[in-house]
């Protein structure tokens, strides 16, 4: 029996019917043995203000605690204007400060994304990966899960019905779990 692993799933969208939250729900639905995936909603995180970084809002403190308690992180990002949404970048900034107290450092991380465009968040995902360098996170590279034409990949209830995308999410989760266990040795 493997040691239980906790993964924190972070959707980069506040939208109630978000495809990216639905993609994380699909990952949850895989029911992988010894793995729990919690989805953290970014609603309510304040805009980062460096003047106040030493008096973090309760939501920021909770967010950093959840990141620290997690063995690995799984982002699911939309693409806004060929990049990551401000909501997600703000969240990354909030949890990275104050300097020397970043919650991200050394965390294994995987990325996926869903958009209504045909490139399926490719450009946003590469921008997100750039942040991992300064944050000193430990990303896995494969598979790239880029769910395009999301309006057809999910049904009306938000279930991921695109079989190839679901298979890729399973592979991504398996690789993230393997990578996380490898780093713990
Ligand atoms: C978008 N959308 C979008 N789609 C895309 O493929 N490439 C892009 O550059 C953009 N840009 C963009 C900017 C802004 C401000 C919005 C609001 C939307 C469309 C986007 O893919 C769509 O809204 C998704 O549904 C967003 O993901 P969630 O909220 O469903 O998770």
């Amino acid at each position: 029996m493997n040691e239980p692993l906790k993964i924190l799933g972070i959707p980069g969208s506040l939208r109630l019917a978000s495809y990216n939250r639905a993609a994380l729900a699909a990952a949850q639905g895989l029911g992988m043995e010894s793995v729990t995936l919690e989805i953290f909603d970014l609603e309510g995180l304040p805009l980062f203000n460096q003047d106040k970084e030493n008096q973090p809002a309760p939501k920021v403190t909770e967010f950093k605690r959840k990141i620290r308690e997690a063995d690995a992180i799984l982002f699911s990002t939309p693409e806004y204007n060929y990049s990551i949404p401000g909501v997600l970048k703000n969240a990354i900034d909030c949890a990275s400060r104050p300097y020397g107290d970043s919650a991200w450092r050394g965390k294994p991380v995987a990325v996926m994304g869903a958009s209504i465009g045909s490139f399926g968040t490719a450009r946003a995902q590469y921008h997100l990966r750039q942040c991992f360098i300064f944050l000193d996170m430990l990303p896995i590279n494969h598979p790239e899960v880029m769910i395009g034409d999301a309006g057809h990949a999910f049904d009306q209830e938000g279930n991921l019905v695109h079989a190839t995308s679901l298979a890729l999410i399973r592979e991504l989760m398996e690789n993230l779990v393997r990578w996380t266990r490898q780093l713990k040795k």
Side-chain angles (χ1 to χ4, degrees):
M1 173 96 174
N2 281 317
E3 189 193 333
L5 283 191
K6 280 190 207 171
I7 299 178
L8 189 68
I10 303 174
S13 172
L14 305 182
R15 204 167 71 85
L16 283 180
S18 162
Y19 296 124
N20 286 281
R21 193 181 294 101
L24 287 168
Q28 263 178 336
L30 295 171
M32 290 176 67
E33 196 192 317
S34 309
V35 176
T36 53
L37 172 59
E38 180 184 352
I39 299 176
F40 189 89
D41 201 328
L42 300 179
E43 181 72 59
L45 267 188
L47 284 179
F48 177 74
N49 177 344
Q50 196 177 353
D51 289 338
K52 298 179 183 168
E53 66 179 357
N54 289 309
Q55 298 94 41
K59 180 85 180 186
V60 175
T61 304
E62 182 198 2
F63 186 40
K64 290 180 77 171
R65 180 175 56 78
K66 292 278 185 189
I67 296 165
R68 288 195 165 111
E69 285 172 3
D71 297 295
I73 306 295
L74 174 59
F75 287 105
S76 188
T77 184
E79 180 170 278
Y80 278 8
N81 300 308
Y82 284 17
S83 188
I84 59 174
V87 160
L88 181 55
K89 182 60 166 60
N90 180 65
I92 289 170
D93 295 342
C94 284
S96 73
R97 297 294 297 189
Y99 183 78
D101 191 40
S102 169
W104 302 112
R105 194 163 176 271
K107 286 285 169 190
V109 60
V111 179
M112 59 183 183
S115 78
I116 56 173
S118 50
F119 290 101
T121 73
R123 294 156 294 218
Q125 290 196 30
Y126 295 136
H127 280 187
L128 180 55
R129 285 181 179 276
Q130 189 174 322
C131 297
F132 299 159
I133 300 168
F134 185 77
L135 296 171
D136 200 12
M137 298 184 80
L138 304 171
I140 56 166
N141 296 321
H142 293 283
E144 292 187 303
V145 184
M146 296 169 173
I147 307 170
D149 193 17
H152 292 105
F154 296 85
D155 68 15
Q156 293 294 321
E157 283 76 46
N159 301 302
L160 181 58
V161 291
H162 188 252
T164 306
S165 298
L166 193 56
L168 284 171
I169 290 176
R170 178 182 291 281
E171 192 184 336
L172 184 73
M173 285 286 286
E174 287 169 354
N175 288 356
L176 179 62
V177 166
R178 194 177 309 116
W179 175 228
T180 304
R181 293 200 193 286
Q182 201 176 314
L183 289 169
K184 276 179 172 282
K185 277 184 189 162

